[in-house]
Amino acid sequence: SSAASDVYKRQRLYTAAAPSLPDFYNAAVDGLEAKEGIGSCGTAAATGQPVIAEDVFCHPYWTPYLNIVRRVGFRACWSLPFKNRHGDVLGTFAIYYDRVRRPKREEMELIQEFAHLAALAVEQTAADLRLRQAKAVFDYASEGILVTDLKAKIVAVNRAFCEITGYTEAEALGKNPRFLQSGHHDRAFYLNMWRRLLATGYWQGEVWNRRKNGEIYPQLLTISTVRDTSGQPTHYVALMNDLSQIKQSQERLDHLIHYDLLTGLPNRLLLQLGLRQMLERAQRHNRRVAALLLDLDRFNLINDSLNHNAGDELLTAFTTRLKQHLRGEDFFGRLAGDEFLLVVDELPHSEAAGRIAEHVLAALKPPFTVAGQEIHLSASIGISLYPDDSTSDAELIQHAETAMRQAKQEERGSYRFYTPTLSDRARRRLTLEARLRQAIKRQHFVLHYQPIIELHSLRILGCEALLRWQDPEQGLIAPDRFIPLAEETGLILPLGEWVLAAACQAARTWRESGYALEVMAVNLSARQFQQLTLPEIIASTLAQIGLPPSCLKLEITESMVMEYGEQAIDRLLRLKSLGIKLSLDDFGTGYSSLAYLKSFPLDEFKIDRSFVRDLPHNSSDVKIISTIIHMGQTLGLGVVAEGVETAVQHVFLSHLGCNAGQGYFYSPPLPEDEFCRFFSQSAGRIHPASERREQTGK
């Protein structure tokens, strides 16, 4: 015979001891569900009643397990459940016999005694485990724990208590917890604490206590009453959570929420809250308030020309200087990027706001030294007034921004007051911006193409792709109405990518159709030129469409590259490395430095139309164009004149040695289908407009 004791856990049986049974059997029955019909032990555990199977071969509970029973070689199994003091089943005690057999009365009594001993052993083991777990919790809890008797004498503390307070266990035992008090709470506070604890057995609250080193710190204190089995109180247990780090984190978080990380100034959220409070005070005391919105001029250019660290240094220097020129009561903060807001309270009259703006602009006149360089910085300022322009904090900021944009458009480094006219203009601009975004989303754009002509042969060398907005309601919208807005809002980036892809696709289609066009010219905006990923975008577009890079020419304005100086050289070299052509557009208007020009990897100059318009009558224009053509020849660059309108201009430019021309004398910009007909009918060699009129009778 052999005995097995199964511990009953979560409605399943697990073997605790079965020294006479083989391992494969123990493994097979381990984890069996405690359910009626699952062997003797499973049924006994489920029903709480003994199960005596004198012949397992004939017992219905054992039918599913006869194969393994034969391998072990037993025939009888007596299983008795053992329980705790509350009558809950803890497990079963089983006796196995190798022959058919029922237990005698004295054997049953003995087995029941063994089962009772097993119950005691299991309960003791569980109690020991609970004690060990409780001690582990007490010793290693992150909260400080102290236990007192009913006279409030400390009888136990844990390690966390010692770490939080700085007192050792020996220093704390036997003392009243009042030795931790900081003096921040009066007697009424502690009387109320004890009144609540005695009435409910529980108290929780925030207290300020003192560490051994004298530091006063915030603490979340929870006190509970411990009772015995009869419900009588025996001890008090206090849990202490040190809140000092949480408080510090909350203060840091509050600072992050309300203050700009770089400059330390109030951010947009705090500015709006502060402005709202100032307006409430102004309303009560019948005062005026001015909101001055400052936007640094060309800061993005400075940031890109140096680096972002230098840009941050400049913003910090600007903040430091301006704070030195402001009154202590002035409210000054950073809205976002290079936009700042100055709020002035108790303004005597509106003109005073103008004088403050002049004072700010004057403070910016001395240069800043950043990264070893002298940098001249200016700002455009918009001013709105309470209650003249609005009584709302949000509207005041919005109106000041509208006025600032007006100042930036008319004269950088100046200030403007808000007027309703500016608001109407801003609303029209917002409406146009919304329509432009929808147009980009729905691709309401088309390209027109204007031929580029070789002057001496009148051969069509290529064309320039020109963007048009095909509005469903207003028809074609000229680019001068929406390109500046697209540039300002950043919408020029997705728009520019669409233009590039559409123009390259048209060029490839024409080449496959046999049109002998050498180049497709695409204008590059300032925003696109600033994009660090521009070379990758162009390379990917050319590869996806299958257009040879030599067929693409990018036109970049002279003023654009001159703004970037040395940095422009690197960007142009990266573009040139793709194998594309580069044209310097609007040449003659950007005051190019010859030192830069010889470093730029250009293929041609494009003479601005303003110099061509009065040819050949304006002697100054003649000299400028002659110089540009000679410069191009000296540098080995092609020269294209744009805006050619008359036969006289065409002949004159040709005689001066200009390589190519573009203008209405040859052809206006044409939609794609009309351009294809124009090229096919002219066989790639144009007839001037005067000859075309004679041929058509128009």
Side-chain angles (χ1 to χ4, degrees):
S1 67
S2 62
S5 177
D6 297 297
V7 180
Y8 184 46
K9 299 177 182 177
R10 298 196 184 106
Q11 307 299 315
R12 292 188 179 275
L13 293 170
Y14 295 89
T15 302
S20 300
L21 291 169
D23 292 341
F24 71 84
Y25 178 79
N26 292 332
V29 300
D30 227 23
L32 282 179
E33 187 176 5
K35 184 178 178 182
E36 189 171 358
I38 306 296
S40 298
C41 292
T43 304
T47 63
Q49 299 297 321
V51 176
I52 307 299
E54 58 183 290
D55 186 354
V56 294
F57 284 5
C58 303
H59 201 286
Y61 294 165
W62 283 92
T63 301
Y65 311 108
L66 291 181
N67 288 335
I68 194 168
V69 167
R70 291 189 179 95
R71 290 181 61 194
V72 178
F74 65 86
R75 290 294 297 271
C77 178
W78 313 334
S79 183
L80 276 73
F82 54 86
K83 307 174 183 179
N84 61 19
R85 69 187 71 178
H86 304 296
D88 302 319
V89 175
L90 298 175
T92 63
F93 189 85
I95 301 293
Y96 295 80
Y97 273 91
D98 57 3
R99 64 182 185 278
V100 176
R101 191 170 183 277
R102 285 187 62 81
K104 299 176 183 178
R105 183 176 61 81
E106 58 271 18
E107 288 177 324
M108 280 296 294
E109 292 175 352
L110 185 61
I111 295 172
Q112 287 173 344
E113 183 64 25
F114 284 155
H116 177 67
L117 292 174
L120 292 176
V122 170
E123 282 194 293
Q124 184 61 46
T125 301
D128 291 344
L129 178 61
R130 286 194 296 272
L131 284 173
R132 288 195 300 272
Q133 290 172 339
K135 187 176 187 306
V137 170
F138 184 82
D139 290 340
Y140 297 104
S142 58
E143 299 91 349
I145 303 174
L146 68 84
V147 182
T148 74
D149 58 18
L150 295 181
K151 295 181 179 181
K153 182 185 294 184
I154 298 175
V155 297
V157 296
N158 70 345
R159 183 171 59 182
F161 169 90
C162 299
E163 292 173 350
I164 292 172
T165 66
Y167 291 98
T168 64
E169 181 181 13
E171 291 172 323
L173 292 179
K175 290 185 177 180
N176 188 296
R178 71 169 63 94
F179 82 101
L180 300 171
Q181 293 177 7
S182 65
H184 275 219
H185 306 287
D186 58 17
R187 186 168 179 269
F189 176 85
Y190 292 105
L191 287 175
N192 182 62
M193 174 195 295
W194 277 103
R195 191 178 299 115
R196 179 80 177 273
L197 180 61
L198 293 173
T200 66
Y202 178 84
W203 183 89
Q204 184 180 68
E206 185 176 315
V207 299
W208 287 83
N209 277 341
R210 189 187 303 272
R211 305 188 208 274
K212 184 179 179 180
N213 63 7
E215 178 188 350
I216 296 174
Y217 67 102
Q219 181 185 95
L220 179 64
L221 181 63
T222 304
I223 307 176
S224 301
T225 303
V226 180
R227 302 180 185 276
D228 60 19
T229 55
S230 63
Q232 295 300 309
T234 61
H235 295 83
Y236 299 111
V237 175
L239 271 70
M240 306 158 53
N241 286 278
D242 188 348
L243 299 180
S244 54
Q245 291 185 348
I246 296 175
K247 292 280 188 182
Q248 292 170 5
S249 298
Q250 288 175 338
E251 290 173 1
R252 287 195 296 269
L253 180 60
D254 183 70
H255 191 275
L256 289 173
I257 291 172
H258 293 101
Y259 290 87
D260 177 55
L261 191 61
L262 175 64
T263 63
L265 293 173
N267 61 14
R268 177 181 287 273
L269 177 61
L270 187 55
L271 281 169
Q272 288 180 315
L273 290 173
L275 177 57
R276 192 174 305 148
Q277 293 172 357
M278 293 174 78
L279 295 183
E280 290 173 356
R281 289 198 302 270
Q283 185 179 20
R284 288 196 300 269
H285 302 290
N286 196 26
R287 295 173 180 170
R288 303 171 73 91
V289 176
L292 290 79
L293 195 145
L294 293 72
D295 184 272
L296 303 184
D297 296 328
R298 295 189 174 88
F299 177 75
N300 287 337
L301 175 60
I302 296 171
N303 205 28
D304 292 339
S305 299
L306 299 173
N307 56 58
H308 291 293
N309 290 335
D312 290 347
E313 185 181 343
L314 179 59
L315 287 175
T316 304
F318 161 79
T319 300
T320 302
R321 180 183 295 182
L322 210 58
K323 287 170 69 176
Q324 294 170 352
H325 287 78
L326 299 177
R327 302 176 305 170
E329 60 267 29
D330 292 336
F331 194 36
F332 179 55
R334 185 185 183 191
L335 286 173
D338 58 349
E339 283 191 352
F340 296 80
L341 184 70
L342 171 62
V343 183
V344 181
D345 199 1
E346 300 185 33
L347 201 70
H349 45 73
S350 59
E351 291 79 6
R355 285 201 293 272
I356 293 171
E358 291 172 356
H359 182 65
V360 169
L361 295 176
L364 298 181
K365 287 191 179 298
F368 294 84
T369 301
V370 175
Q373 297 186 40
E374 276 197 356
I375 296 176
H376 291 270
L377 190 65
S378 66
S380 298
I381 303 177
I383 305 172
S384 63
L385 301 171
Y386 168 91
D388 309 60
D389 300 324
S390 177
T391 58
S392 160
D393 57 286
E395 276 194 351
L396 274 180
I397 295 176
Q398 180 183 342
H399 291 341
E401 184 173 8
T402 301
M404 178 274 295
R405 294 189 184 281
Q406 183 68 17
K408 195 172 284 289
Q409 290 175 9
E410 293 181 356
E411 183 184 1
R412 293 177 187 269
S414 65
Y415 67 91
R416 295 290 184 274
F417 282 91
Y418 170 78
T419 65
T421 303
L422 293 182
S423 187
D424 292 340
R425 188 180 303 167
R427 277 194 289 270
R428 290 196 299 270
R429 179 187 174 280
L430 286 174
T431 301
L432 183 62
E433 180 182 340
R435 288 176 51 215
L436 182 58
R437 290 183 184 276
Q438 286 298 316
I440 293 174
K441 185 178 180 180
R442 297 170 182 172
Q443 295 189 355
H444 288 165
F445 293 92
V446 295
L447 291 181
H448 286 191
Y449 303 91
Q450 188 172 36
I452 301 172
I453 310 301
E454 188 176 48
L455 295 188
H456 75 275
S457 67
L458 295 179
R459 182 168 62 93
I460 302 176
L461 298 175
C463 63
E464 178 181 356
L466 299 168
L467 182 64
R468 299 291 185 267
W469 180 355
Q470 184 70 58
D471 187 77
E473 298 177 1
Q474 299 184 17
L476 277 181
I477 298 178
D480 58 355
R481 283 189 57 194
F482 67 88
I483 290 296
L485 178 61
E487 185 83 21
E488 182 182 342
T489 58
L491 294 174
I492 196 68
L493 296 179
L495 200 52
E497 289 188 31
W498 179 86
V499 170
L500 177 68
C504 289
Q505 185 61 60
R508 179 193 169 188
T509 301
W510 294 341
R511 283 171 58 85
E512 291 176 347
S513 300
Y515 296 166
L517 292 170
E518 295 180 6
V519 69
M520 171 67 74
V522 175
N523 290 289
L524 199 64
S525 73
R527 278 289 185 98
Q528 288 176 286
F529 191 62
Q530 293 172 13
Q531 265 188 304
L532 296 178
T533 57
L534 179 63
E536 288 76 15
I537 292 172
I538 294 173
S540 175
T541 302
L542 290 171
Q544 289 178 10
I545 293 175
L547 182 69
S550 59
C551 295
L552 175 64
K553 178 170 69 178
L554 294 182
E555 295 192 358
I556 306 166
T557 64
E558 181 186 13
S559 58
M560 187 194 308
V561 295
M562 291 312 300
E563 279 188 352
Y564 283 86
E566 292 285 350
Q567 204 172 35
I569 298 174
D570 177 66
R571 297 193 179 186
L572 291 172
L573 286 171
R574 289 182 64 202
L575 292 172
K576 187 63 180 173
S577 67
L578 300 176
I580 63 177
K581 294 181 172 64
L582 296 176
S583 174
L584 195 63
D585 199 6
D586 298 340
F587 188 71
T589 63
Y591 308 103
S592 295
S593 163
L594 290 177
Y596 279 135
L597 280 180
K598 67 181 182 181
S599 302
F600 291 156
L602 301 170
D603 294 282
E604 69 178 27
F605 294 145
K606 199 167 187 183
I607 302 173
D608 187 68
R609 67 181 65 248
S610 62
F611 300 115
V612 177
R613 184 185 304 116
D614 297 327
L615 283 183
H617 311 295
N618 189 310
S619 59
S620 297
D621 289 342
V622 171
K623 291 176 182 178
I624 292 173
I625 290 178
S626 299
T627 302
I628 293 174
I629 293 173
H630 178 71
M631 188 186 303
Q633 292 170 345
T634 302
L635 296 174
L637 304 177
V639 179
V640 179
E642 60 180 354
V644 180
E645 308 293 336
T646 68
V648 174
Q649 292 170 346
H650 163 77
V651 172
F652 190 80
L653 288 166
S654 182
H655 287 165
L656 287 177
C658 185
N659 304 103
Q662 182 179 343
Y664 276 69
F665 176 66
Y666 311 110
S667 170
L670 300 170
E672 183 173 352
D673 54 347
E674 292 185 27
F675 180 84
C676 292
R677 285 198 300 271
F678 170 79
F679 188 90
S680 300
Q681 291 171 1
S682 62
R685 190 180 300 274
I686 70 101
H687 299 279
S690 58
E691 295 182 23
R692 292 202 303 277
R693 284 195 294 270
E694 291 175 4
Q695 293 170 2
T696 59
K698 297 181 180 178

PDB file of all heavy atoms in Angstrom, residues 3 199 248 257 281 334 435 461 504 515 531 539 551 584 598 608 671 675:
ATOM      1  N   ALA A   3       0.567   5.885   0.305  1.00  0.00           N
ATOM      2  CA  ALA A   3      -0.307   7.014   0.646  1.00  0.00           C
ATOM      3  C   ALA A   3       0.052   8.218  -0.208  1.00  0.00           C
ATOM      4  O   ALA A   3       1.209   8.422  -0.557  1.00  0.00           O
ATOM      5  CB  ALA A   3      -0.163   7.354   2.117  1.00  0.00           C
ATOM      6  N   ALA A 199     -13.049  57.145  16.347  1.00  0.00           N
ATOM      7  CA  ALA A 199     -14.449  56.956  15.947  1.00  0.00           C
ATOM      8  C   ALA A 199     -14.587  55.950  14.815  1.00  0.00           C
ATOM      9  O   ALA A 199     -15.523  55.145  14.794  1.00  0.00           O
ATOM     10  CB  ALA A 199     -15.051  58.303  15.531  1.00  0.00           C
ATOM     11  N   GLN A 248       8.134  68.128  -5.620  1.00  0.00           N
ATOM     12  CA  GLN A 248       9.132  68.736  -6.503  1.00  0.00           C
ATOM     13  C   GLN A 248       8.803  68.447  -7.961  1.00  0.00           C
ATOM     14  O   GLN A 248       8.945  69.320  -8.825  1.00  0.00           O
ATOM     15  CB  GLN A 248      10.530  68.218  -6.149  1.00  0.00           C
ATOM     16  CG  GLN A 248      11.040  68.688  -4.798  1.00  0.00           C
ATOM     17  CD  GLN A 248      12.305  67.960  -4.376  1.00  0.00           C
ATOM     18  OE1 GLN A 248      12.867  67.162  -5.129  1.00  0.00           O
ATOM     19  NE2 GLN A 248      12.763  68.235  -3.150  1.00  0.00           N
ATOM     20  N   ILE A 257       4.703  73.316 -17.761  1.00  0.00           N
ATOM     21  CA  ILE A 257       3.414  73.610 -18.375  1.00  0.00           C
ATOM     22  C   ILE A 257       3.274  75.097 -18.663  1.00  0.00           C
ATOM     23  O   ILE A 257       2.703  75.496 -19.676  1.00  0.00           O
ATOM     24  CB  ILE A 257       2.270  73.123 -17.465  1.00  0.00           C
ATOM     25  CG1 ILE A 257       2.237  71.585 -17.421  1.00  0.00           C
ATOM     26  CG2 ILE A 257       0.919  73.662 -17.927  1.00  0.00           C
ATOM     27  CD1 ILE A 257       1.268  71.022 -16.419  1.00  0.00           C
ATOM     28  N   ARG A 281      -8.821  92.962 -14.239  1.00  0.00           N
ATOM     29  CA  ARG A 281      -8.472  94.093 -13.364  1.00  0.00           C
ATOM     30  C   ARG A 281      -8.717  95.420 -14.077  1.00  0.00           C
ATOM     31  O   ARG A 281      -9.214  96.384 -13.481  1.00  0.00           O
ATOM     32  CB  ARG A 281      -7.010  93.996 -12.929  1.00  0.00           C
ATOM     33  CG  ARG A 281      -6.714  92.884 -11.943  1.00  0.00           C
ATOM     34  CD  ARG A 281      -5.396  93.104 -11.239  1.00  0.00           C
ATOM     35  NE  ARG A 281      -4.286  93.208 -12.176  1.00  0.00           N
ATOM     36  CZ  ARG A 281      -3.563  92.173 -12.590  1.00  0.00           C
ATOM     37  NH1 ARG A 281      -3.846  90.954 -12.151  1.00  0.00           N
ATOM     38  NH2 ARG A 281      -2.570  92.348 -13.426  1.00  0.00           N
ATOM     39  N   ARG A 334       6.993  84.196 -24.315  1.00  0.00           N
ATOM     40  CA  ARG A 334       7.233  83.634 -25.655  1.00  0.00           C
ATOM     41  C   ARG A 334       6.008  82.836 -26.088  1.00  0.00           C
ATOM     42  O   ARG A 334       5.620  81.867 -25.442  1.00  0.00           O
ATOM     43  CB  ARG A 334       8.467  82.736 -25.633  1.00  0.00           C
ATOM     44  CG  ARG A 334       8.867  82.189 -27.004  1.00  0.00           C
ATOM     45  CD  ARG A 334      10.028  81.221 -26.860  1.00  0.00           C
ATOM     46  NE  ARG A 334      10.503  80.715 -28.141  1.00  0.00           N
ATOM     47  CZ  ARG A 334      11.351  79.704 -28.290  1.00  0.00           C
ATOM     48  NH1 ARG A 334      11.827  79.087 -27.208  1.00  0.00           N
ATOM     49  NH2 ARG A 334      11.727  79.301 -29.481  1.00  0.00           N
ATOM     50  N   ARG A 435      -9.199  77.613 -48.884  1.00  0.00           N
ATOM     51  CA  ARG A 435      -9.500  77.147 -50.249  1.00  0.00           C
ATOM     52  C   ARG A 435      -8.262  76.539 -50.893  1.00  0.00           C
ATOM     53  O   ARG A 435      -8.352  75.549 -51.639  1.00  0.00           O
ATOM     54  CB  ARG A 435     -10.012  78.321 -51.086  1.00  0.00           C
ATOM     55  CG  ARG A 435     -11.420  78.767 -50.696  1.00  0.00           C
ATOM     56  CD  ARG A 435     -11.848  79.992 -51.473  1.00  0.00           C
ATOM     57  NE  ARG A 435     -11.655  79.814 -52.906  1.00  0.00           N
ATOM     58  CZ  ARG A 435     -11.289  80.781 -53.729  1.00  0.00           C
ATOM     59  NH1 ARG A 435     -11.076  82.003 -53.263  1.00  0.00           N
ATOM     60  NH2 ARG A 435     -11.151  80.539 -55.025  1.00  0.00           N
ATOM     61  N   LEU A 461      14.174  74.896 -77.429  1.00  0.00           N
ATOM     62  CA  LEU A 461      15.101  74.113 -76.609  1.00  0.00           C
ATOM     63  C   LEU A 461      14.365  73.326 -75.522  1.00  0.00           C
ATOM     64  O   LEU A 461      14.743  72.215 -75.172  1.00  0.00           O
ATOM     65  CB  LEU A 461      16.122  75.035 -75.940  1.00  0.00           C
ATOM     66  CG  LEU A 461      17.040  75.829 -76.881  1.00  0.00           C
ATOM     67  CD1 LEU A 461      17.899  76.784 -76.065  1.00  0.00           C
ATOM     68  CD2 LEU A 461      17.918  74.877 -77.678  1.00  0.00           C
ATOM     69  N   CYS A 504       7.876  66.581 -64.734  1.00  0.00           N
ATOM     70  CA  CYS A 504       8.758  65.486 -65.158  1.00  0.00           C
ATOM     71  C   CYS A 504       7.967  64.434 -65.939  1.00  0.00           C
ATOM     72  O   CYS A 504       8.471  63.870 -66.928  1.00  0.00           O
ATOM     73  CB  CYS A 504       9.438  64.853 -63.942  1.00  0.00           C
ATOM     74  SG  CYS A 504      10.696  65.893 -63.188  1.00  0.00           S
ATOM     75  N   TYR A 515       9.062  64.311 -79.289  1.00  0.00           N
ATOM     76  CA  TYR A 515       9.325  65.757 -79.227  1.00  0.00           C
ATOM     77  C   TYR A 515      10.763  65.978 -78.779  1.00  0.00           C
ATOM     78  O   TYR A 515      11.162  65.538 -77.711  1.00  0.00           O
ATOM     79  CB  TYR A 515       8.378  66.447 -78.243  1.00  0.00           C
ATOM     80  CG  TYR A 515       6.912  66.376 -78.632  1.00  0.00           C
ATOM     81  CD1 TYR A 515       5.920  66.694 -77.726  1.00  0.00           C
ATOM     82  CD2 TYR A 515       6.523  65.986 -79.918  1.00  0.00           C
ATOM     83  CE1 TYR A 515       4.578  66.635 -78.061  1.00  0.00           C
ATOM     84  CE2 TYR A 515       5.190  65.924 -80.264  1.00  0.00           C
ATOM     85  CZ  TYR A 515       4.218  66.240 -79.344  1.00  0.00           C
ATOM     86  OH  TYR A 515       2.903  66.168 -79.690  1.00  0.00           O
ATOM     87  N   GLN A 531      14.683  73.032 -47.748  1.00  0.00           N
ATOM     88  CA  GLN A 531      14.472  71.632 -47.381  1.00  0.00           C
ATOM     89  C   GLN A 531      15.774  70.840 -47.479  1.00  0.00           C
ATOM     90  O   GLN A 531      16.391  70.764 -48.550  1.00  0.00           O
ATOM     91  CB  GLN A 531      13.448  70.985 -48.313  1.00  0.00           C
ATOM     92  CG  GLN A 531      12.037  70.984 -47.798  1.00  0.00           C
ATOM     93  CD  GLN A 531      11.146  70.163 -48.706  1.00  0.00           C
ATOM     94  OE1 GLN A 531      11.059  70.418 -49.908  1.00  0.00           O
ATOM     95  NE2 GLN A 531      10.478  69.188 -48.146  1.00  0.00           N
ATOM     96  N   ALA A 539      15.642  63.229 -56.640  1.00  0.00           N
ATOM     97  CA  ALA A 539      16.185  61.964 -57.144  1.00  0.00           C
ATOM     98  C   ALA A 539      15.112  60.888 -57.196  1.00  0.00           C
ATOM     99  O   ALA A 539      15.018  60.131 -58.175  1.00  0.00           O
ATOM    100  CB  ALA A 539      17.356  61.515 -56.270  1.00  0.00           C
ATOM    101  N   CYS A 551      17.526  66.187 -68.210  1.00  0.00           N
ATOM    102  CA  CYS A 551      16.351  66.819 -68.827  1.00  0.00           C
ATOM    103  C   CYS A 551      15.638  67.785 -67.877  1.00  0.00           C
ATOM    104  O   CYS A 551      14.693  68.453 -68.283  1.00  0.00           O
ATOM    105  CB  CYS A 551      15.362  65.747 -69.291  1.00  0.00           C
ATOM    106  SG  CYS A 551      16.005  64.691 -70.604  1.00  0.00           S
ATOM    107  N   LEU A 584      20.056  80.416 -62.635  1.00  0.00           N
ATOM    108  CA  LEU A 584      19.896  81.504 -61.680  1.00  0.00           C
ATOM    109  C   LEU A 584      18.879  82.485 -62.242  1.00  0.00           C
ATOM    110  O   LEU A 584      19.174  83.262 -63.157  1.00  0.00           O
ATOM    111  CB  LEU A 584      21.238  82.187 -61.419  1.00  0.00           C
ATOM    112  CG  LEU A 584      21.301  83.087 -60.190  1.00  0.00           C
ATOM    113  CD1 LEU A 584      21.062  82.277 -58.923  1.00  0.00           C
ATOM    114  CD2 LEU A 584      22.650  83.787 -60.113  1.00  0.00           C
ATOM    115  N   LYS A 598      31.170  82.721 -58.978  1.00  0.00           N
ATOM    116  CA  LYS A 598      32.136  81.782 -59.564  1.00  0.00           C
ATOM    117  C   LYS A 598      32.179  80.456 -58.795  1.00  0.00           C
ATOM    118  O   LYS A 598      32.712  79.464 -59.298  1.00  0.00           O
ATOM    119  CB  LYS A 598      33.528  82.408 -59.611  1.00  0.00           C
ATOM    120  CG  LYS A 598      34.162  82.654 -58.257  1.00  0.00           C
ATOM    121  CD  LYS A 598      35.539  83.293 -58.428  1.00  0.00           C
ATOM    122  CE  LYS A 598      36.221  83.492 -57.062  1.00  0.00           C
ATOM    123  NZ  LYS A 598      37.545  84.131 -57.218  1.00  0.00           N
ATOM    124  N   ASP A 608      16.461  89.077 -65.754  1.00  0.00           N
ATOM    125  CA  ASP A 608      15.131  89.469 -65.309  1.00  0.00           C
ATOM    126  C   ASP A 608      14.439  90.330 -66.362  1.00  0.00           C
ATOM    127  O   ASP A 608      15.066  91.156 -67.036  1.00  0.00           O
ATOM    128  CB  ASP A 608      15.234  90.229 -63.989  1.00  0.00           C
ATOM    129  CG  ASP A 608      13.869  90.518 -63.394  1.00  0.00           C
ATOM    130  OD1 ASP A 608      13.198  89.563 -62.976  1.00  0.00           O
ATOM    131  OD2 ASP A 608      13.480  91.695 -63.385  1.00  0.00           O
ATOM    132  N   PRO A 671      -1.533  75.585 -72.133  1.00  0.00           N
ATOM    133  CA  PRO A 671      -1.889  74.296 -71.535  1.00  0.00           C
ATOM    134  C   PRO A 671      -1.190  73.162 -72.281  1.00  0.00           C
ATOM    135  O   PRO A 671      -0.742  73.326 -73.425  1.00  0.00           O
ATOM    136  CB  PRO A 671      -3.404  74.237 -71.702  1.00  0.00           C
ATOM    137  CG  PRO A 671      -3.835  75.659 -71.885  1.00  0.00           C
ATOM    138  CD  PRO A 671      -2.706  76.340 -72.601  1.00  0.00           C
ATOM    139  N   PHE A 675       0.285  73.227 -76.043  1.00  0.00           N
ATOM    140  CA  PHE A 675       1.731  73.253 -76.239  1.00  0.00           C
ATOM    141  C   PHE A 675       2.157  72.137 -77.194  1.00  0.00           C
ATOM    142  O   PHE A 675       3.024  72.340 -78.057  1.00  0.00           O
ATOM    143  CB  PHE A 675       2.448  73.094 -74.892  1.00  0.00           C
ATOM    144  CG  PHE A 675       3.953  73.113 -75.012  1.00  0.00           C
ATOM    145  CD1 PHE A 675       4.646  74.308 -75.058  1.00  0.00           C
ATOM    146  CD2 PHE A 675       4.674  71.930 -75.105  1.00  0.00           C
ATOM    147  CE1 PHE A 675       6.032  74.332 -75.188  1.00  0.00           C
ATOM    148  CE2 PHE A 675       6.048  71.934 -75.233  1.00  0.00           C
ATOM    149  CZ  PHE A 675       6.733  73.141 -75.266  1.00  0.00           C
TER     150      PHE A 675
END
